[in-house]
Amino acid sequence: MKVQQGWRRAVPGLVLLLLLAPPSRAVEPISLGLAIAGAAASALTGIISYPRLYCYFRECCLQRHELRVANALQESLDRRLFGQHLVSKVVVRAVRGFLSNSQAKKPLALSLHGWTGTGKNFVSKIIAESIYKRGLKSNYVHQFVATLHFPHAHSINLYKDQLQSWIRGNVSICPRSIFIFDEMDKMHAGLIDAIKPFLDYYELLDGVSYRQAIFIFLSNAGAEKITEVALDFWRNGKAREDIQLTDMQNALSVSVFNNRNSGFWHSTLIDRNLIDYFVPFLPLEYKHVKMCVRVEVESRGYAVDEDILNRVADEMTYFPREERIYSDKGCKTVDAKLDYYYDL
């Protein structure tokens, strides 16, 4: 009885403290000064007697149970990703296995490859949402775009220093930080090697462990090799679902490593085998484009009109020129094309 009364007396003061406290923020490229607020909020979390209640009001660096993450991830991929059986299998197993391993020897590193519109950004978003409720808006999920954050070749040394500081600062605040690097095919060669120590098999670096962090790389590099394998299966009368990761992973990693127009060109991350999985996104066929259109129509609350689905899919351009099998933009322009039919 006394414990319950004490709890009731403590809650109002605790709630007031939570509401007055500055929210935990992570270090972003815009300002290193945000780390101060994040460190202060993290310290506040440690002294509060009821951390679960604190995390109800403020986002905490606490991953969901690995089974919940895996189930949420699998459900989202099954419902919203089309034509990518390899992605669904590899990503779910990799993330589930990593989160359930309390003795991980290194961070998880996934490299997603394929043409524009095949789902790379979408999958990185789903991974973030499965671990943190706020997804890409979470204080513990950090997205870098090569052409935005690292535009100038002459500043590569400055970018390397900044990148190391941003990662070190964020992992110090939250060990389960997620880092997403978009447009790796447009990143200056050599820059990404600055993060090599954080992906390696070190227990601690300057007192900080990076073994719980997740690194995701997105790139169009290697798409030609992926299409080559998929097209070979099609021409030999084999189903795309028969393609196995072993059919292309080694060829894909070699292709990316030797691509001069890729941020992974001769990268130590590949040379030292620090990328755990090269995940191929297959080019999308006509039927997959229609699936994308259907889901988008339903998400807008409209009744599905099969005629419109066919029109939008027909308006896409397909390759190779003779067979016209694969959409050259995947599902990327579906949203804009639907505006023409529905939002008049």
Side-chain angles (χ1 to χ4, degrees):
M1 187 64 180
K2 290 182 178 179
V3 173
Q4 292 177 345
Q5 291 174 346
W7 166 255
R8 292 192 185 99
R9 288 195 297 266
V11 169
L14 179 58
V15 172
L16 180 60
L17 177 61
L18 288 166
L19 295 178
L20 292 177
S24 173
R25 297 296 304 276
V27 183
E28 291 298 336
I30 297 175
S31 172
L32 294 176
L34 294 177
I36 299 174
S42 297
L44 177 63
T45 305
I47 65 173
I48 292 178
S49 301
Y50 307 100
R52 288 190 178 181
L53 182 60
Y54 176 87
C55 295
Y56 180 82
F57 289 94
R58 301 294 188 198
E59 184 182 39
C60 291
C61 178
L62 296 172
Q63 77 274 22
R64 300 175 182 175
H65 190 278
E66 60 270 12
L67 289 179
R68 290 183 60 195
V69 171
N71 290 338
L73 188 55
Q74 186 72 68
E75 181 183 355
S76 294
L77 292 176
D78 289 344
R79 183 165 46 89
R80 302 156 64 189
L81 184 70
F82 308 111
Q84 305 296 355
H85 68 286
L86 291 177
V87 176
S88 297
K89 181 186 297 185
V90 174
V91 169
V92 172
R93 289 184 179 181
V95 173
R96 178 176 57 200
F98 178 70
L99 295 181
S100 63
N101 184 5
S102 60
Q103 303 297 323
K105 302 299 182 184
K106 65 178 292 297
L108 176 63
L110 302 174
S111 193
L112 315 184
H113 297 266
W115 294 115
T116 296
T118 52
K120 301 184 299 296
N121 279 283
F122 186 59
V123 168
S124 66
K125 177 176 178 287
I126 291 176
I127 293 173
E129 290 173 347
S130 68
I131 297 176
Y132 291 110
K133 291 182 180 180
R134 299 181 62 210
L136 296 179
K137 296 180 181 179
S138 170
N139 292 323
Y140 309 119
V141 177
H142 317 281
Q143 192 168 26
F144 302 90
V145 180
T147 53
L148 175 64
H149 295 114
F150 317 111
H152 307 298
H154 60 80
S155 299
I156 189 169
N157 290 328
L158 172 62
Y159 297 149
K160 286 183 177 181
D161 291 340
Q162 290 178 334
L163 193 52
Q164 290 182 342
S165 296
W166 296 333
I167 293 176
R168 186 183 302 112
N170 281 300
V171 175
S172 297
I173 294 170
C174 176
R176 187 67 80 194
S177 291
I178 300 175
F179 301 95
I180 302 172
F181 293 85
D182 197 2
E183 297 184 347
M184 281 298 302
D185 48 302
K186 297 179 177 64
M187 182 177 286
H188 303 296
L191 172 55
I192 200 63
D193 288 344
I195 72 171
K196 182 262 180 189
F198 306 129
L199 268 68
D200 216 328
Y201 291 81
Y202 296 114
E203 184 174 358
L204 293 172
L205 285 175
D206 296 328
V208 179
S209 173
Y210 297 86
R211 291 180 170 183
Q212 296 184 55
I214 298 176
F215 293 81
I216 304 173
F217 306 95
L218 314 180
S219 177
N220 289 354
E224 296 88 351
K225 179 61 65 175
I226 296 170
T227 299
E228 180 183 316
V229 173
L231 195 56
D232 184 62
F233 267 69
W234 184 86
R235 286 172 174 166
N236 285 285
K238 299 178 182 179
R240 65 189 280 133
E241 289 75 20
D242 292 335
I243 299 175
Q244 301 298 316
L245 191 62
T246 52
D247 291 322
M248 61 175 67
Q249 181 158 266
N250 290 337
L252 178 58
S253 64
V254 171
S255 173
V256 173
F257 182 76
N258 291 319
N259 188 334
R260 288 181 174 272
N261 297 318
S262 167
F264 278 131
W265 183 65
H266 288 186
S267 171
T268 57
L269 301 190
I270 298 178
D271 189 47
R272 301 297 178 86
N273 299 308
L274 298 179
I275 304 296
D276 299 300
Y277 296 94
F278 288 88
V279 185
F281 283 66
L282 302 177
L284 299 182
E285 299 175 9
Y286 182 89
K287 62 182 178 181
H288 303 126
V289 174
K290 285 189 64 175
M291 292 177 184
C292 292
V293 179
R294 180 182 298 275
V295 168
E296 180 61 27
V297 168
E298 293 173 345
S299 70
R300 297 188 184 193
Y302 299 131
V304 175
D305 185 326
E306 291 295 334
D307 181 58
I308 291 180
L309 264 59
N310 291 328
R311 285 194 211 175
V312 173
D314 289 341
E315 288 177 7
M316 298 291 191
T317 53
Y318 296 85
F319 71 97
R321 181 177 299 178
E322 296 78 15
E323 295 95 338
R324 298 184 74 250
I325 307 168
Y326 306 120
S327 169
D328 65 354
K329 295 183 179 65
C331 288
K332 195 175 184 69
T333 59
V334 163
D335 185 68
K337 288 184 179 298
L338 276 178
D339 291 341
Y340 175 79
Y341 292 102
Y342 283 100
D343 295 334
L344 297 179

